[in-house]
Amino acid sequence: MELPFTLQRLTPEALEVLRFLHKRRAAADAIEIERGAQLSERLVRRAIRRLVNHRLIQFAQDKYELTSDGEIAAHQLAEYDAAMATNSSGRAEPPRVPRRLTVVMPRVLSANTSTDLFVGVNPPSANTPLLPQPAHLTLRASAIGGALSSAEFSLIVPIDKAAIPAKLSLTPDQAGRAVRVRMDAFQAIDPDQLQFEPLGGMYFDVRVSMDTTPDNALRAVGMDILLKPIRF
């Protein structure tokens, strides 16, 4: 099993802090982290700075706690640790398959007007491994400053081409006030699609005009995801 890309960027001490906060299931101050993660004060300071910069932990009420992205990263790290501990056969798992989740929308929306957003997954780039079979994704979305037509929807990622985009509508609440959209991706990892593995999340702001003049120019935002090769 390969360590997820978001965790590969972290230093060993930052990973130890993630492990400690995940096991603790509660916020902790710097001294508690030093003791629990068994790290020096200098390493803890460096780890905290790195995790805050990556928005994996946040400081609240004199203690540090995992953010929503941090919860996902810590869960992925725990799964990786468990796989490494139980994989005694010496066989390496197939490498993860990199793809890109993309959201396409107008650059500027109008208040109190429903506008379509299209969510898809790009085709595999050249010289990258292919999925053994299509991947089944669940996307969960939320918005601050607007209303979405759906809080959860699905995508099927084909082996060698782009996914057919899913469509959802966004209605901004107020003219001139941007809407912040949050989207988290999960991959089904069992035949009945009852178990899901988090693939990461992103948020983006959507501009809202002061008037009703439409802007037909499009923009795209996205994030890289690492899909698990699964045969149902």
Side-chain angles (χ1 to χ4, degrees), residues 45-138:
R45 286 203 307 268
R46 189 166 69 181
I48 288 174
R49 185 164 57 249
R50 177 67 65 91
L51 293 170
V52 169
N53 288 341
H54 284 281
R55 296 184 176 88
L56 298 179
I57 66 172
Q58 60 188 3
F59 189 66
Q61 299 180 350
D62 299 324
K63 292 190 175 185
Y64 296 94
E65 62 183 8
L66 293 170
T67 62
S68 58
D69 283 344
E71 293 281 2
I72 292 173
H75 180 73
Q76 290 175 327
L77 181 58
E79 287 189 335
Y80 173 82
D81 290 341
M84 292 299 98
T86 57
N87 187 13
S88 58
S89 64
R91 294 179 299 173
E93 285 194 358
R96 294 287 181 127
V97 177
R99 300 291 285 268
R100 186 165 180 82
L101 179 74
T102 303
V103 184
V104 178
M105 74 206 86
R107 288 187 178 275
V108 182
L109 276 59
S110 298
N112 302 312
T113 300
S114 176
T115 302
D116 291 336
L117 280 62
F118 294 90
V119 186
V121 175
N122 292 4
S125 57
N127 302 319
T128 58
L130 297 179
L131 293 163
Q133 66 181 57
H136 296 253
L137 305 186
T138 292

Side-chain angles (χ1 to χ4, degrees), residues 180-200:
R180 172 155 291 187
V181 178
R182 171 83 193 188
M183 199 165 292
D184 293 285
F186 302 83
Q187 181 182 1
I189 59 174
D190 78 341
D192 298 322
Q193 299 188 31
L194 298 177
Q195 296 180 4
F196 297 87
E197 178 172 300
L199 299 175

Side-chain angles (χ1 to χ4, degrees), residues 108-111 174-178 207-213:
V108 182
L109 276 59
S110 298
Q174 182 178 336
R177 179 185 176 186
R207 291 175 56 197
V208 181
S209 66
M210 291 295 298
D211 51 41
T212 58
T213 303

